[in-house]
Amino acid sequence: MREGHRGTGPGAITPDGCAVELYARLPVGAEPDIVAAAVPRGARILELGCGVGRMTHPLLERGFTVTAVDESAEMLERVRGARTIRSAIEDLDLGERFDAVLLASFLVHTGDTEVRRGLLRTCARHLTDDGCVLIQREGADYHTDLPRERVDPSGFTVRILSSEPVGDGVHAVQAEYEFPDAVWTQTFRARPLTDTQFEEALAEAGLRVDRALTDDGIWVRAVAMT
């Protein structure tokens, strides 16, 4: 288990506190459409932190070629139809380049600055010259107005219970997912980033913001600096 991360509930728990069975239940959402609109038709995509394939499978259905990476063997067992690679993202070096690299699930907000640097370097070194990195950021109010909850139309409730500063700009976040037949919790470390801090982190890896992909700025398209 990574430092500051833990999870509870039925089934396997990954090193960052994610429950495999929980993520197998979560709905897909709009993310595959956001990705599809931002990359060329039929693009080769490197998906970093693919989990159980919630985004992998819809992207395959849309005609993309996906290489799916995760550090959890239990997560990768759920992925179908894609090339899968078990690895920590920050250590990955395939010696290949892709049209698009996908860094979702707020991974750019990891509490460990060195891990974040490794994540973004991995993104940059796997890009084609005209490729792009699609990054999911936290929303502006992610760490405020807590606790809060959202009832999903499919019948479960997700709660962000707390976000407490633990030093050096890092927060310990507690989340809960309640289904009619099971409850999962996850505690993880997250580092809020201002727009300036986010752009500086990208620049350190040789990347820059190209444009926001959503009105709320949560999804961003980045490209190599020239």
Side-chain angles (χ1 to χ4, degrees):
M1 196 67 63
R2 291 181 180 247
E3 182 180 0
H5 295 248
R6 64 182 181 272
T8 67
I13 305 293
T14 68
D16 58 356
C18 294
V20 175
E21 181 60 34
L22 165 64
Y23 278 83
R25 293 187 182 201
L26 294 180
V28 174
E31 284 84 357
D33 291 331
I34 294 170
V35 172
V39 301
R41 184 186 301 271
R44 295 180 67 241
I45 297 175
L46 177 62
E47 184 185 3
L48 302 175
C50 65
V52 298
R54 278 194 308 139
M55 291 182 64
T56 317
H57 300 140
L59 291 173
L60 291 170
E61 291 169 1
R62 287 161 172 78
F64 299 105
T65 300
V66 182
T67 295
V69 178
D70 205 278
E71 66 180 342
S72 166
E74 293 89 351
M75 287 286 196
L76 290 175
E77 286 174 359
R78 306 293 185 105
V79 178
R80 298 287 181 267
R83 171 194 181 194
T84 59
I85 296 173
R86 184 184 179 191
S87 174
I89 296 169
E90 59 268 30
D91 298 330
L92 186 71
D93 190 350
L94 298 177
E96 303 174 39
R97 293 176 179 264
F98 296 80
D99 303 309
V101 179
L102 183 57
L103 190 69
S105 302
F106 312 135
L107 290 175
V108 75
H109 290 276
T110 176
D112 189 320
T113 301
E114 287 305 313
V115 170
R116 185 191 67 213
R117 288 180 174 131
L119 300 181
L120 292 174
R121 285 195 297 263
T122 294
C123 292
R125 69 170 161 262
H126 289 92
L127 272 189
T128 59
D129 291 342
D130 58 351
C132 63
V133 184
L134 306 185
I135 302 172
Q136 186 180 24
R137 300 181 60 188
E138 295 173 344
D141 60 350
Y142 188 81
H143 296 275
T144 60
D145 297 326
L146 301 177
R148 65 175 181 269
E149 70 175 37
R150 177 180 64 84
V151 179
D152 191 85
S154 63
F156 71 92
T157 301
V158 56
R159 302 182 180 95
I160 305 298
L161 300 175
S162 62
S163 175
E164 299 294 336
V166 293
D168 190 32
V170 178
H171 289 227
V173 181
Q174 292 184 309
E176 179 181 79
Y177 300 81
E178 182 179 353
F179 286 74
D181 61 338
V183 175
W184 285 272
T185 69
Q186 183 181 9
T187 300
F188 56 95
R189 297 282 176 90
R191 182 182 296 274
L193 297 171
T194 65
D195 288 346
T196 298
Q197 290 169 333
F198 176 66
E199 290 166 5
E200 289 174 346
L202 291 181
E204 191 176 14
L207 300 168
R208 63 172 178 84
V209 172
D210 176 49
R211 66 179 188 272
L213 299 176
T214 53
D215 291 340
D216 57 15
I218 289 177
W219 278 93
V220 174
R221 184 181 191 270
V223 296
M225 298 179 74
T226 55

